[in-house]
PDB file of all heavy atoms in Angstrom:
ATOM      1  N   VAL A 236       4.330  -8.893  -9.767  1.00 97.00           N
ATOM      2  CA  VAL A 236       4.018  -8.212  -8.509  1.00 97.00           C
ATOM      3  C   VAL A 236       3.547  -9.252  -7.509  1.00 97.00           C
ATOM      4  O   VAL A 236       2.675 -10.072  -7.818  1.00 97.00           O
ATOM      5  CB  VAL A 236       2.933  -7.132  -8.711  1.00 97.00           C
ATOM      6  CG1 VAL A 236       2.514  -6.551  -7.366  1.00 97.00           C
ATOM      7  CG2 VAL A 236       3.442  -6.026  -9.613  1.00 97.00           C
ATOM      8  N   ALA A 260      13.303 -16.284  -9.733  1.00 97.00           N
ATOM      9  CA  ALA A 260      13.079 -14.839  -9.832  1.00 97.00           C
ATOM     10  C   ALA A 260      13.968 -14.124  -8.826  1.00 97.00           C
ATOM     11  O   ALA A 260      14.355 -14.686  -7.800  1.00 97.00           O
ATOM     12  CB  ALA A 260      11.621 -14.501  -9.560  1.00 97.00           C
ATOM     13  N   PRO A 283      -0.331  -9.947 -18.784  1.00 96.00           N
ATOM     14  CA  PRO A 283      -0.887  -9.143 -17.685  1.00 96.00           C
ATOM     15  C   PRO A 283      -2.409  -9.216 -17.690  1.00 96.00           C
ATOM     16  O   PRO A 283      -3.034  -9.490 -18.725  1.00 96.00           O
ATOM     17  CB  PRO A 283      -0.407  -7.717 -17.996  1.00 96.00           C
ATOM     18  CG  PRO A 283       0.692  -7.877 -19.004  1.00 96.00           C
ATOM     19  CD  PRO A 283       0.352  -9.108 -19.784  1.00 96.00           C
ATOM     20  N   ALA A 319     -13.913   3.115   0.663  1.00 84.00           N
ATOM     21  CA  ALA A 319     -13.747   4.477   1.143  1.00 84.00           C
ATOM     22  C   ALA A 319     -12.794   5.209   0.205  1.00 84.00           C
ATOM     23  O   ALA A 319     -12.003   4.579  -0.500  1.00 84.00           O
ATOM     24  CB  ALA A 319     -13.206   4.492   2.571  1.00 84.00           C
ATOM     25  N   SER A 326       1.052   2.186   8.131  1.00 69.00           N
ATOM     26  CA  SER A 326       2.444   2.469   7.770  1.00 69.00           C
ATOM     27  C   SER A 326       2.640   3.882   7.262  1.00 69.00           C
ATOM     28  O   SER A 326       3.771   4.356   7.135  1.00 69.00           O
ATOM     29  CB  SER A 326       2.884   1.495   6.672  1.00 69.00           C
ATOM     30  OG  SER A 326       2.107   1.698   5.503  1.00 69.00           O
ATOM     31  N   THR A 336     -12.832  -6.673   1.350  1.00 94.00           N
ATOM     32  CA  THR A 336     -13.764  -7.710   0.915  1.00 94.00           C
ATOM     33  C   THR A 336     -13.976  -8.718   2.043  1.00 94.00           C
ATOM     34  O   THR A 336     -13.279  -8.698   3.063  1.00 94.00           O
ATOM     35  CB  THR A 336     -13.221  -8.465  -0.321  1.00 94.00           C
ATOM     36  OG1 THR A 336     -12.120  -9.296   0.075  1.00 94.00           O
ATOM     37  CG2 THR A 336     -12.774  -7.489  -1.399  1.00 94.00           C
ATOM     38  N   ALA A 355     -12.717  -7.600 -14.914  1.00 93.00           N
ATOM     39  CA  ALA A 355     -11.612  -6.639 -14.865  1.00 93.00           C
ATOM     40  C   ALA A 355     -10.923  -6.710 -13.504  1.00 93.00           C
ATOM     41  O   ALA A 355     -11.569  -6.921 -12.470  1.00 93.00           O
ATOM     42  CB  ALA A 355     -12.117  -5.231 -15.121  1.00 93.00           C
ATOM     43  N   HIS A 387      13.891   2.565  -8.737  1.00 85.00           N
ATOM     44  CA  HIS A 387      14.814   2.875  -7.646  1.00 85.00           C
ATOM     45  C   HIS A 387      15.030   1.732  -6.655  1.00 85.00           C
ATOM     46  O   HIS A 387      15.894   1.843  -5.792  1.00 85.00           O
ATOM     47  CB  HIS A 387      14.301   4.096  -6.865  1.00 85.00           C
ATOM     48  CG  HIS A 387      13.970   5.271  -7.726  1.00 85.00           C
ATOM     49  ND1 HIS A 387      14.920   5.989  -8.411  1.00 85.00           N
ATOM     50  CD2 HIS A 387      12.778   5.851  -8.024  1.00 85.00           C
ATOM     51  CE1 HIS A 387      14.335   6.963  -9.095  1.00 85.00           C
ATOM     52  NE2 HIS A 387      13.039   6.902  -8.873  1.00 85.00           N
ATOM     53  N   ARG A 392      10.071   7.876   1.155  1.00 81.00           N
ATOM     54  CA  ARG A 392       9.143   8.372   2.172  1.00 81.00           C
ATOM     55  C   ARG A 392       9.837   9.438   2.999  1.00 81.00           C
ATOM     56  O   ARG A 392      11.011   9.316   3.333  1.00 81.00           O
ATOM     57  CB  ARG A 392       8.654   7.228   3.067  1.00 81.00           C
ATOM     58  CG  ARG A 392       7.659   6.315   2.358  1.00 81.00           C
ATOM     59  CD  ARG A 392       6.879   5.447   3.333  1.00 81.00           C
ATOM     60  NE  ARG A 392       5.806   4.784   2.628  1.00 81.00           N
ATOM     61  CZ  ARG A 392       5.949   3.655   1.950  1.00 81.00           C
ATOM     62  NH1 ARG A 392       7.124   3.066   1.912  1.00 81.00           N
ATOM     63  NH2 ARG A 392       4.925   3.108   1.313  1.00 81.00           N
ATOM     64  N   HIS A 450      -3.531  15.337  15.337  1.00 86.00           N
ATOM     65  CA  HIS A 450      -3.195  13.952  15.710  1.00 86.00           C
ATOM     66  C   HIS A 450      -1.962  13.555  14.903  1.00 86.00           C
ATOM     67  O   HIS A 450      -1.663  14.170  13.864  1.00 86.00           O
ATOM     68  CB  HIS A 450      -4.370  13.004  15.436  1.00 86.00           C
ATOM     69  CG  HIS A 450      -4.825  13.017  14.008  1.00 86.00           C
ATOM     70  ND1 HIS A 450      -4.296  12.164  13.047  1.00 86.00           N
ATOM     71  CD2 HIS A 450      -5.732  13.790  13.359  1.00 86.00           C
ATOM     72  CE1 HIS A 450      -4.868  12.411  11.893  1.00 86.00           C
ATOM     73  NE2 HIS A 450      -5.743  13.391  12.045  1.00 86.00           N
ATOM     74  N   GLU A 488      15.133   5.898   5.632  1.00 69.00           N
ATOM     75  CA  GLU A 488      15.833   4.736   5.096  1.00 69.00           C
ATOM     76  C   GLU A 488      14.860   3.575   4.998  1.00 69.00           C
ATOM     77  O   GLU A 488      13.953   3.422   5.814  1.00 69.00           O
ATOM     78  CB  GLU A 488      17.000   4.342   6.002  1.00 69.00           C
ATOM     79  CG  GLU A 488      18.117   5.379   6.032  1.00 69.00           C
ATOM     80  CD  GLU A 488      19.287   4.919   6.866  1.00 69.00           C
ATOM     81  OE1 GLU A 488      19.252   3.761   7.331  1.00 69.00           O
ATOM     82  OE2 GLU A 488      20.225   5.701   7.039  1.00 69.00           O
TER      83      GLU A 488
END
Side-chain angles (χ1 to χ4, degrees):
V236 174
S326 63
T336 71
H387 309 292
R392 287 197 170 84
H450 57 90
E488 293 184 5

